[in-house]
Amino acid sequence: MMKSRTWRWWTVALRGVVTIAFGILALIVPTVAFTSLVILFGAYAIVDGVLALVLASRPVQPHGALIARGLVSIAAGILALVWPGITGLVLLIVIAAWAIIAGLLEIGWAIQMRKQLEGEWLLALEGVLSIAFGVLLILSPLVGAIVLGLWIGAWALLLGGVEISTALRLRSYVHHHPELAA
């Protein structure tokens, strides 16, 4: 039983590691062809969404916001992969909308988890970072591919760090409350 709880915090940590890896790639190669950035984003969003759904499939209550967040991430990733040749502005809007919606859902999950988890503010911070990133993209629609790559890289590094911090809080919480292992 403890194994499923332990696995859950590990899934959040894996999301953080994937996010940081995505951020590093975006920072190292910001001049990559725009289509490659679309494919990289699409793959990241799908992996992030699948990991969110896997986390939501575990006996955590409530999990509706996490399921919705996973579905939104997967949908954004599929959109990016199905239409890699879309214009920069449309891609910008898709990424911005995904970041804002995912951020709002992350904040919703943090609010729902506030009684079950100490440090739920880290979950809310994940949401705030995503919303801020989405708003910045909307405010600068003429941003070039290089700047967009750097913004995405910086955002992903921050978000990944917060996700790993959240995972460590979850691990600590489960360790100190073994009676909650379902």
Side-chain angles (χ1 to χ4, degrees):
M1 297 212 185
M2 179 62 93
K3 187 175 184 180
S4 73
R5 290 279 183 183
T6 302
W7 189 84
R8 248 183 303 169
W9 77 260
W10 179 81
T11 303
V12 176
L14 180 60
R15 283 176 59 200
V17 169
V18 168
T19 303
I20 287 172
F22 172 72
I24 290 169
L25 283 172
L27 288 173
I28 290 174
V29 194
T31 57
V32 69
F34 193 71
T35 302
S36 297
L37 185 58
V38 171
I39 292 168
L40 188 60
F41 167 76
Y44 163 74
I46 290 170
V47 168
D48 178 68
V50 168
L51 289 173
L53 290 177
V54 168
L55 180 61
S57 73
R58 301 293 179 217
V60 173
Q61 294 298 328
H63 58 271
L66 193 56
I67 291 171
R69 186 198 186 293
L71 294 175
V72 166
S73 291
I74 291 170
I78 290 171
L79 265 173
L81 293 176
V82 169
W83 292 308
I86 59 177
T87 66
L89 183 59
V90 172
L91 175 62
L92 185 68
I93 291 168
V94 168
I95 293 172
W98 166 76
I100 291 169
I101 293 168
L104 290 170
L105 292 169
E106 201 78 32
I107 290 170
W109 189 43
I111 291 168
Q112 292 173 342
M113 293 297 291
R114 71 183 179 277
K115 292 181 182 174
Q116 289 97 353
L117 180 65
E118 292 179 29
E120 75 286 350
W121 64 271
L122 287 169
L123 294 173
L125 181 59
E126 289 178 32
V128 169
L129 287 172
S130 288
I131 291 168
F133 173 71
V135 169
L136 283 172
L137 288 179
I138 289 172
L139 292 176
S140 300
L142 300 178
V143 66
I146 293 173
V147 175
L148 179 59
L150 293 174
W151 279 13
I152 290 171
W155 162 77
L157 288 176
L158 286 172
L159 184 61
V162 171
E163 287 173 337
I164 290 172
S165 295
T166 299
L168 294 174
R169 288 258 189 187
L170 283 170
R171 184 184 74 175
S172 176
Y173 180 77
V174 169
H175 179 71
H176 289 94
H177 297 89
E179 72 278 2
L180 297 178

